[in-house]
Amino acid sequence: MEEPDTAAILPEDHSATAREGSEAGGGAPTTGPRCPCSLPVSVEPVLFLSMFSVALQAPLSTQYLWDRISEDLGFNGSRRSECSNSSVPPDPLQKEVETLTAHWNLYISLGFFLVGIMVVPLLGSWSDMAGRRPVLILPNIGLALQAVVYLVVMYLKLPVVYFLVGRLLSGLSGDFNAILAGISGSFRDVGQHHWSYINPFWLVLATNVASALYAFLFVHESVYPDPSAKLLTARHHKAVWHLYSTGGSSGEDGGRLRRCKLWLYTLCFFLVVTVHFGSRDLFVLYELSSPLCWGSALIGYGSAAQHLAYLSSLLGLKVMQRCLKDSWVALVGLASNITGLVVFSVADTTELMFTGYGLCFLFMAATPVLRSKLSKLVGPSEQGALFASVACVESLCFLVGSSIFNSLYPASLHFMKGFPFLFAALVLFIPAGIIGWVCAFILFIVFLILNR
């Protein structure tokens, strides 16, 4: 799952006003009063709590896999004084640990994808008729169950294959992608080994439970629920396909243009998020191994620096939108991401690694813009179907990114350790070119109109 966007990710029907019609889902009219059992409270705390949970457990899971695999293979290289000494030949056990950790990340991602790709479209489109609140509650319950499984694995030191069970449970409930469809560091003590992961995952569990309870008790319903709406029906998948085959509920004249924009912006979104997923999986691996050989404290600082970029991206987004069009904001965000990835590809010192994090201070500005552009292309009654399709794309990005980068990393260790980051930077030139071409085309049309 993607590290969540911090802006422009809420569907249009997040407002208090109930909407009429549900053309994409074919359900009953959605006009009517709100659910009387819920208070008119903002949905942002659900997003924040879920985002905090996802951001907390992602680097810890990779570190735990690294430690468990290192223990099984008898590798303790990251604690050797010569770890950062480039004159010492690389330990073959380290390469094996890196390879196995990358592969287990891939297997867990694959299992999650196969389940999530079927569940998320159902939940997202179903929310257009049945209401948004159930789609806010169910994924948080699934994420809480995942945390329970992870805790059991850590307490009992079960094989890491059981991590896959936790991800499957989360995928069955839609995971964080379903939450997006529905709404429109250093916690470890060095030396305590596996027990050092326990407290953070208890915090993950508590956060998911709190998020589910908040959504159940306080979040108002923005769609008048249709009691007859069915979850297990092919109609929801058809609603998603309807958007991309016809351009949504727009008329004949606008349908073709909207369909073209939907495909182009979805392609850009796919490439950007694939790079985010793929490169994110590698940061902890890259930092744990030589020549950086970071410990838990530095990994925590690196994770904090990476997540501070979400806040700086949000602030930058708000500032840039005052003087720039959305497309130019996306291009600036892509430029920030590209330069940071290039620095990561050659980072062999702690200072250079943090320089890369600093250059990525606007790296998340592109994805909220793309979400917003997609949201504006469809009507209010199709927001759930749209964000279900976006969530499916995210699940596909999760699989493709994990597959490519977790396979490319061990394959490139012998000639350039940071090559996957360089490859990621090159991929981002494609969406930058598409968005730039769209900007140029719009400017050309405006020029023609002004000079008629």
Side-chain angles (χ1 to χ4, degrees):
M1 74 208 110
E2 184 190 12
E3 301 280 344
D5 299 336
T6 51
I9 58 177
L10 303 180
E12 303 249 336
D13 60 0
H14 169 59
S15 64
T17 306
R19 302 290 204 257
E20 293 186 0
S22 183
E23 185 170 335
T30 56
T31 53
R34 295 177 188 161
C35 176
C37 60
S38 57
L39 300 177
V41 186
S42 172
V43 77
E44 278 75 10
V46 176
L47 176 64
F48 172 78
L49 291 171
S50 302
M51 177 180 70
F52 178 78
S53 167
V54 172
L56 176 63
Q57 63 181 305
L60 288 171
S61 300
T62 301
Q63 290 181 71
Y64 183 80
L65 288 173
W66 173 280
D67 280 352
R68 282 296 303 273
I69 294 171
S70 296
E71 180 181 295
D72 292 342
L73 296 179
F75 173 70
N76 197 28
S78 61
R79 296 176 175 84
R80 298 182 313 176
S81 59
E82 66 268 20
C83 176
S84 59
N85 189 348
S86 58
S87 63
V88 177
D91 191 333
L93 274 180
Q94 176 181 294
K95 288 189 176 182
E96 188 173 356
V97 170
E98 290 179 272
T99 301
L100 287 175
T101 304
H103 286 171
W104 271 112
N105 275 332
L106 172 59
Y107 302 150
I108 294 170
S109 300
L110 178 61
F112 165 75
F113 167 78
L114 294 177
V115 175
I117 195 67
M118 298 302 298
V119 173
V120 173
L122 293 175
L123 292 175
S125 185
W126 178 62
S127 71
D128 281 333
M129 298 178 292
R132 309 298 188 200
R133 292 174 70 239
V135 185
L136 299 181
I137 298 170
L138 288 175
N140 278 294
I141 294 176
L143 287 168
L145 290 175
Q146 173 184 304
V148 170
V149 172
Y150 281 21
L151 283 168
V152 171
V153 171
M154 294 172 186
Y155 272 114
L156 302 181
K157 296 186 65 175
L158 299 176
V160 294
V161 67
Y162 286 99
F163 269 28
L164 178 59
V165 177
R167 291 298 286 142
L168 290 176
L169 289 174
S170 180
L172 283 171
S173 67
D175 201 77
F176 188 79
N177 291 335
I179 296 176
L180 292 181
I183 59 174
S184 51
S186 186
F187 284 90
R188 302 173 53 203
D189 286 326
V190 179
Q192 294 187 10
H193 206 43
H194 302 310
W195 290 96
S196 59
Y197 296 95
I198 299 296
N199 290 338
F201 274 93
W202 274 113
L203 180 58
V204 169
L205 174 60
T207 301
N208 292 133
V209 172
S211 181
L213 287 175
Y214 181 92
F216 177 74
L217 295 174
F218 301 116
V219 174
H220 67 75
E221 183 57 80
S222 61
V223 174
Y224 188 68
D226 177 10
S228 65
K230 296 181 179 179
L231 174 61
L232 300 178
T233 173
R235 178 182 300 172
H236 304 311
H237 290 91
K238 291 179 180 178
V240 173
W241 173 248
H242 174 76
L243 290 177
Y244 287 89
S245 61
T246 65
S249 58
S250 57
E252 181 68 23
D253 293 336
R256 292 180 180 178
L257 180 59
R258 292 191 182 192
R259 183 170 67 246
C260 180
K261 288 183 177 180
L262 275 172
W263 283 103
L264 282 176
Y265 287 136
T266 301
L267 174 61
C268 292
F269 184 83
F270 170 78
L271 294 173
V272 172
V273 177
T274 295
V275 166
H276 288 173
F277 277 143
S279 58
R280 183 200 66 186
D281 280 350
L282 302 183
F283 281 125
V284 175
L285 268 177
Y286 192 79
E287 294 160 356
L288 280 169
S289 57
S290 61
L292 294 175
C293 304
W294 283 8
S296 61
L298 277 176
I299 290 176
Y301 295 144
S303 179
Q306 185 181 12
H307 289 96
L308 279 176
Y310 289 97
L311 296 178
S312 59
S313 295
L314 172 61
L315 295 175
L317 186 69
K318 296 299 183 182
V319 172
M320 289 188 293
Q321 283 181 330
R322 296 179 178 272
C323 54
L324 295 174
K325 296 292 185 181
D326 285 347
S327 297
W328 296 108
V329 174
L331 288 175
V332 173
L334 289 173
S336 172
N337 202 353
I338 289 171
T339 54
L341 287 169
V342 170
V343 172
F344 289 138
S345 69
V346 296
D348 56 359
T349 64
T350 296
E351 293 77 12
L352 201 54
M353 196 69 187
F354 277 103
T355 299
Y357 282 127
L359 291 172
C360 283
F361 75 108
L362 292 175
F363 85 112
M364 284 301 297
T367 45
V369 170
L370 291 171
R371 286 182 185 272
S372 177
K373 285 182 173 295
L374 287 168
S375 179
K376 293 174 183 177
L377 292 174
V378 302
S381 64
E382 296 170 320
Q383 292 294 317
L386 171 69
F387 280 90
S389 67
V390 171
C392 285
V393 172
E394 282 190 295
S395 297
L396 182 61
C397 294
F398 191 57
L399 175 66
V400 173
S402 295
S403 301
I404 292 177
F405 287 90
N406 281 305
S407 300
L408 186 61
Y409 182 78
S412 60
L413 286 174
H414 67 284
F415 68 91
M416 183 180 180
K417 191 181 185 70
F419 177 76
F421 297 120
L422 183 60
F423 174 77
L426 294 175
V427 170
L428 289 182
F429 278 102
I430 300 175
I434 293 175
I435 296 174
W437 176 81
V438 172
C439 291
F441 179 76
I442 294 174
L443 289 175
F444 177 71
I445 296 298
V446 172
F447 176 78
L448 290 179
I449 293 174
L450 294 177
N451 289 275
R452 288 183 61 181

